[in-house]
Amino acid sequence: MSRRILQSLPIVALATALAVSGLWLITTSFMVYDDEGYVLWSLRSYSATGGLYVDVFSQYGPFFYVYYDALHRFLGFPFENDAGRLLTLGYWLATALAGGVLTWVLTRSRVAALAATALTFTGLVAMIREPIHPGGLIALLAMAGAATGAFALLRERTGLFAMAAGATGAALALIKINVGAFFLIAAGSWMAASTRPSRALGWLIALGCVLSPWLLMRSLWPAPWVTHYALIFACGALALAPGLMGAARAEHDGRSWRSFFIASVGLGLVTLGLVAARGTSLTALWHGMVVAPLSHPGVYFFPVAWLPGSGVLALCSLGAALFIQRTTLPANLGTVIAGLRIATGLWFLSGAFQAENEGMTRFALSYGPSLAWLMAIPLAGSRDSGPARARLWLAWVFVWQTLHAFPVAGSQIAWGTFLWATLLVTGLAEALTLFSDKWRIWRGVGLAVILAGGLMATGRLAFIGREFYLQSRPLGLPGAEQLRPPADLRRQLAVLVENLRMHCNTLFSLPGLFSLNIWSDRPTPTGANVTHWFSLLSAAEQEAIIARLEADPRAGLVVHRYLLDYLRDGGFPAQGQLRAYLDASFDRVLTVGFYELHLHRGRSIAPLSTVRLLPTGANGAAELELVLAPIEGRQIASVALRPLHATDATVARIEPTPGKPWQLVPLEADGAVAGPPTLATQAFALQGISRVSIPVTVADGWNRTGDTCVVLLDASGTEIGAATFVR
């Protein structure tokens, strides 16, 4: 076996392990707020009809839709949950591996590259919460832009830097305008400093570092978490600004700027042209890309939970950075900084073991901007050397990307801070190299510790993902055959979708839960679809939905009670003319967990695949009342009561006998009795929708309705169906 193959084995092994771990995690996670379904449904709608921002509502930019429409048309990408999750896993792995490659380029250490790969992967575990969300593509593009820029700086290829920066910034801005603006500001200020460095430009960049967060956050100013955010960012950016000006060269000229504008404007014009050709006006583009995103903080926000001491650290770190970067580092001060880097690394790794609780990403947002300069300042050699400038560029992009978490600090924290892992590992590698000049063993041992920390963090995630995977079963719904949510949620969704298919033509939801539309194959009233439609849709858009729902007597409404209560308690109640219409015109006919099915007032249904326990007398006598649809080609021989989370275990089992027959009552779809009852004394096949009444004794365990389901078995004991307890 050649040496090159042997050297590649560790990264191949790590990539394989991360792929398997990621697959376990991403297939066993389903967030009930269902941003995933919203994005999939909007992509499907745009691909089918066009009319982005006109007929199809979206909070995201046109490049996102053009890109996925191209994947669909030329590669057959289906807008389904399983496909979206696999593609998101690809973004996740590619971003992590790119971070490893960048680390290797900057350090020439395979151990450091492996550590950066593992830590980047762990820091992006939020990918599992919102598959196919723009955040996955944004992370990959941001990493690609940062890595290409670093490579260009090492090779002194100014044209490549300018084109990559322009194209990346434009693509990001055409997905989420704020994220693209952060990248373009970082790249533009870097190029400006490297075009004609001057003291005036340095002051202008510093002013931008202070004003940018205020301009971004002014709609929520002066909420404490917002002012704290502005402080953390401004201190971190200002701490890097002297290094940015000190490392600047007069290397960019008119040709570089032309390349930058050609790449950015060219990509923008092509994207906008393709969208306009499919029915989007310039006015609609302006509103969808700029006006609506700027109003989002006033519609919904989620505060950052800042870690203790982050504000004090930001101020102290800024003071130290400004003092130290005024002059060339003395040798002993370089040793001190190297020691501080190592201490920071150990501090960070202690949070890596809480990756599933976002310990890494919260650290990166709370402390990362303040410590970025510490990782970027060169410990040896010139400030304007290739590796030093490349790491400074990485730090500069990282600090600006941390603004991504405003105003919704959920998964956006991970998407805005994942570059911290690469910056940290490259900074630690330089620090360990400095110490290895005196004690050679330091570098090897230190890098091994970093790698061990990264592997332990990913290993913990892998263990959690594997446990979830082994304990779950596939959902089996169209487009989500491989999705494996928790057992109780899986049963709730299966029952809900079965009833939607039987009883509804048009489907609306409160808040928007559009995976249900995909799984049930039921259309939405209009193309104005978004999770928080009560806050984001105009009065005219809501009136159009009302008209469509009123025109369809078989329209259905799904309400997720927990989400509504959560939003209300958080100060974002669902209200407005559409909510008032739904409350006045629809009644609940079925409750499964937190999901409620509402139909036009006066309608009733036979609630399929449901079961109720009805007391019938003394001594624990009761009756199971199941409502079932026919099971094609199968006979029901018995039923078993099984725990939701241990479906191989049986609490109780019963079959029809002459002494205890089961009563079968045929039903119409609306629940009305369709014929005379019959008695089953042995295995039987249903001929239509039926109410099956089974005598049971509560003492035998049939009173466990909260954590169990009733499983239908054939004569061989094979499961052929199930019914979920409802109230």
Side-chain angles (χ1 to χ4, degrees):
M1 186 178 295
S2 69
R3 182 177 180 181
R4 178 167 294 182
I5 294 176
L6 285 173
Q7 291 174 339
S8 66
L9 285 179
I11 190 63
V12 172
L14 178 60
T16 303
L18 295 181
V20 173
S21 302
L23 186 64
W24 286 336
L25 289 162
I26 207 166
T27 55
T28 56
S29 175
F30 179 75
M31 308 308 293
V32 293
Y33 55 79
D34 200 20
D35 277 2
E36 173 186 10
Y38 157 48
V39 172
L40 285 169
W41 192 257
S42 69
L43 289 171
R44 176 182 290 203
S45 300
Y46 172 75
S47 187
T49 66
L52 184 64
Y53 310 130
V54 179
D55 300 315
V56 177
F57 181 91
S58 180
Q59 297 165 278
Y60 307 117
F63 182 83
F64 184 66
Y65 290 88
V66 169
Y67 167 73
Y68 276 105
D69 188 45
L71 286 186
H72 175 70
R73 293 178 184 278
F74 299 115
L75 299 179
F77 174 77
F79 300 118
E80 298 174 346
N81 301 76
D82 286 343
R85 286 162 184 263
L86 287 176
L87 189 57
T88 300
L89 177 58
Y91 296 150
W92 189 6
L93 285 170
T95 304
L97 290 170
V101 170
L102 176 56
T103 301
W104 183 82
V105 169
L106 293 177
T107 66
R108 296 299 169 177
S109 167
R110 291 181 176 83
V111 176
L114 292 171
T117 300
L119 289 171
T120 302
F121 182 87
T122 306
L124 283 171
V125 70
M127 293 277 201
I128 69 175
R129 293 204 296 254
E130 289 147 15
I132 209 63
H133 187 283
L137 182 57
I138 284 171
L140 181 59
L141 287 171
M143 174 61 84
T148 304
F151 176 83
L153 289 169
L154 287 170
R155 296 290 189 272
E156 298 185 356
R157 297 179 61 179
T158 55
L160 175 62
F161 182 97
M163 292 189 68
T168 301
L172 290 172
L174 291 168
I175 297 174
K176 290 187 73 174
I177 191 168
N178 58 332
V179 180
F182 306 148
F183 191 93
L184 289 171
I185 291 172
S189 57
W190 181 279
M191 288 182 60
S194 298
T195 300
R196 188 174 295 174
S198 67
R199 182 181 295 272
L201 179 61
W203 282 109
L204 184 62
I205 290 174
L207 182 62
C209 294
V210 174
L211 291 180
S212 292
W214 182 84
L215 291 172
L216 174 69
M217 304 173 189
R218 67 189 184 281
S219 60
L220 295 179
W221 200 274
W225 74 273
V226 174
T227 56
H228 197 86
Y229 205 150
L231 173 70
I232 298 295
F233 169 80
C235 288
L238 287 172
L240 283 169
L244 175 68
M245 298 307 299
R249 302 177 182 174
E251 59 184 355
H252 287 289
D253 54 18
R255 182 179 300 178
S256 294
W257 284 101
R258 282 194 296 273
S259 298
F260 179 83
F261 285 112
I262 288 172
S264 57
V265 175
L267 180 62
L269 290 176
V270 169
T271 301
L272 297 180
L274 290 172
V275 172
R278 300 203 62 205
T280 302
S281 66
L282 292 177
T283 302
L285 279 170
W286 173 256
H287 185 271
M289 290 174 56
V290 181
V291 177
L294 288 176
S295 65
H296 188 71
V299 173
Y300 183 70
F301 59 85
F302 189 79
V304 178
W306 296 104
L307 293 177
S310 53
V312 174
L313 176 64
L315 291 170
C316 294
S317 184
L318 173 61
L322 295 179
F323 173 76
I324 289 172
Q325 293 184 88
R326 292 185 62 180
T327 184
T328 304
L329 285 180
N332 59 336
L333 190 53
T335 303
V336 171
I337 290 177
L340 290 174
R341 285 188 188 178
I342 293 171
T344 298
L346 294 174
W347 184 20
F348 171 73
L349 288 176
S350 68
F353 303 114
Q354 304 173 24
E356 71 278 14
N357 297 323
E358 301 181 342
M360 290 177 61
T361 54
R362 291 181 66 202
F363 181 104
L365 183 62
S366 294
Y367 305 131
S370 305
L371 298 170
W373 74 271
L374 188 69
M375 297 298 159
I377 188 171
L379 302 181
S382 172
R383 288 185 179 183
D384 64 352
S385 66
R389 299 181 77 226
R391 195 167 63 250
L392 179 62
W393 157 252
L394 178 63
W396 189 238
V397 174
F398 159 70
V399 168
W400 281 94
Q401 286 298 300
T402 60
L403 292 174
H404 188 172
F406 180 86
V408 182
S411 301
Q412 291 82 353
I413 296 178
W415 299 327
T417 62
F418 68 90
L419 289 171
W420 168 253
T422 302
L423 177 62
L424 174 75
V425 174
T426 54
L428 287 174
E430 186 189 36
L432 292 168
T433 300
L434 181 69
F435 283 125
S436 70
D437 291 341
K438 298 180 180 179
W439 302 285
R440 293 181 60 84
I441 195 173
W442 266 99
R443 190 170 193 267
V445 171
L447 290 175
V449 169
I450 300 167
L451 177 58
L455 293 178
M456 289 177 69
T458 54
R460 180 177 173 85
L461 290 178
F463 176 79
I464 294 171
R466 181 176 180 274
E467 289 297 302
F468 285 161
Y469 191 87
L470 294 177
Q471 294 172 10
S472 60
R473 297 170 59 185
L475 182 59
L477 292 174
E481 286 84 359
Q482 301 308 312
L483 176 59
R484 303 169 76 102
D488 54 347
L489 181 58
R490 179 175 61 84
R491 287 301 315 148
Q492 293 166 17
L493 293 173
V495 170
L496 188 60
V497 170
E498 183 180 9
N499 281 279
L500 291 174
R501 290 172 179 165
M502 173 61 67
H503 302 300
C504 301
N505 288 345
T506 306
L507 174 60
F508 194 62
S509 45
L510 173 64
L513 308 169
F514 300 101
S515 288
L516 294 174
N517 296 89
I518 297 172
W519 300 335
S520 65
D521 195 27
R522 294 297 179 264
T524 53
T526 70
N529 299 301
V530 62
T531 49
H532 292 189
W533 51 260
F534 37 85
S535 301
L536 294 168
L537 297 187
S538 67
E541 289 169 325
Q542 294 191 35
E543 288 293 341
I545 293 172
I546 292 173
R548 293 294 293 272
L549 291 174
E550 189 68 17
D552 182 4
R554 283 175 50 84
L557 168 70
V558 172
V559 175
H560 197 286
R561 187 57 56 185
Y562 173 82
L563 289 177
L564 279 188
D565 292 345
Y566 176 83
L567 289 170
R568 180 202 61 208
D569 295 343
F572 301 98
Q575 54 192 7
Q577 68 263 45
L578 178 50
R579 173 66 192 275
Y581 164 78
L582 296 175
D583 289 344
S585 304
F586 285 75
D587 284 333
R588 183 180 63 191
V589 297
L590 175 64
T591 300
V592 190
F594 287 113
Y595 291 95
E596 300 173 0
L597 174 58
H598 295 233
L599 300 177
H600 277 294
R601 182 156 292 169
R603 280 194 68 194
S604 60
I605 63 168
L608 303 180
S609 294
T610 65
V611 57
R612 290 180 172 86
L613 181 67
L614 306 175
T616 59
N619 301 319
E623 186 176 81
L624 289 179
E625 185 181 272
L626 294 87
V627 179
L628 303 172
I631 304 171
E632 185 176 354
R634 309 301 290 269
Q635 288 190 327
I636 301 172
S638 63
V639 296
L641 187 68
R642 290 182 175 172
L644 285 168
H645 297 283
T647 52
D648 293 334
T650 297
V651 176
R653 182 171 175 175
I654 191 171
E655 59 187 26
T657 65
K660 284 191 174 182
W662 298 0
Q663 185 185 72
L664 312 181
V665 179
L667 301 176
E668 302 288 355
D670 63 1
V673 175
T678 59
L679 297 178
T681 59
Q682 58 184 359
F684 60 92
L686 296 173
Q687 301 304 312
I689 299 174
S690 302
R691 182 172 64 236
V692 181
S693 299
I694 305 172
V696 297
T697 302
V698 170
D700 293 333
W702 291 100
N703 60 328
R704 291 180 55 183
T705 62
D707 62 346
T708 58
C709 66
V710 175
V711 177
L712 313 178
L713 306 173
D714 64 12
S716 68
T718 301
E719 181 179 337
I720 58 175
T724 297
F725 284 100
V726 297
R727 57 185 188 273

